[in-house]
Amino acid sequence: MSPATRGSLAAIGFGAEVRQAIERRTHQLIRQGHAIWTPEAQLRVKADLIGTLTRQEVERVGRQLAAERGLAFQPIQEGQAVRGKLLGSTQLASGRFAMVDDGLGFSLVPWRPVIEKEIGRQVMGVMRGDDISWQLGRVRTLGIGI
């Protein structure tokens, strides 16, 4: 099978459904400002499209969870530390995210298997791009000794 034939979608049946889905997604990305058509009729997407869509999903789900739980959602930015009690995780289309409650609200940050045993405990991590660097062990918090 030639590369041209391999990349072609059938004009009927499932192939037609896939083609229509791709066209709908293309139009949606253009409407949202994530992609443009070039003068050469090629679709050009923004460089950080996946990261942008992931951040948008985390923000949307974070606000939904906040409304359901009566808590404040606190998005975490690049270089920012997150510390608090690891409540568990939630599965999003873009992956699994840890829910960390700092006592004032919660944040959603990328999940890593290394924190599985830390659920219910205090954790700390620092956002590095679209990932997080977890610092496990004793997490120091401010407190008053009696």
Side-chain angles (χ1 to χ4, degrees), residues 32-122:
Q32 292 175 347
H34 298 305
I36 61 168
W37 284 113
T38 67
E40 297 81 27
Q42 293 181 333
L43 185 67
R44 177 167 297 161
V45 296
K46 291 189 175 180
D48 188 26
L49 177 61
I50 300 298
T52 299
L53 294 175
T54 297
R55 285 186 293 278
Q56 288 177 349
E57 179 188 30
V58 168
E59 291 267 346
R60 180 181 49 76
V61 171
R63 286 190 304 271
Q64 287 174 343
L65 290 171
E68 292 170 8
R69 297 170 183 237
L71 297 171
F73 171 64
Q74 301 169 338
I76 301 295
Q77 306 299 321
E78 162 72 27
Q80 187 177 353
V82 60
R83 60 176 51 97
K85 184 177 182 179
L86 178 60
L87 299 177
S89 67
T90 187
Q91 184 67 44
L92 307 182
S94 53
R96 190 173 176 190
F97 286 78
M99 298 176 68
V100 180
D101 184 347
D102 69 359
L104 300 174
F106 73 96
S107 299
L108 294 174
V109 294
W111 177 268
R112 294 294 165 259
V114 70
I115 63 172
E116 186 77 44
K117 295 180 181 176
E118 304 299 320
I119 294 175
R121 296 184 181 161
Q122 294 291 315

Side-chain angles (χ1 to χ4, degrees), residues 4-54:
T5 307
R6 202 173 332 131
S8 299
L9 293 174
I12 58 172
F14 182 69
E17 291 176 29
V18 170
R19 184 186 322 272
Q20 291 169 356
I22 291 171
E23 288 174 12
R24 284 193 306 272
R25 185 62 176 152
T26 299
H27 293 302
Q28 184 67 16
L29 289 172
I30 292 169
R31 273 194 298 279
Q32 292 175 347
H34 298 305
I36 61 168
W37 284 113
T38 67
E40 297 81 27
Q42 293 181 333
L43 185 67
R44 177 167 297 161
V45 296
K46 291 189 175 180
D48 188 26
L49 177 61
I50 300 298
T52 299
L53 294 175
T54 297

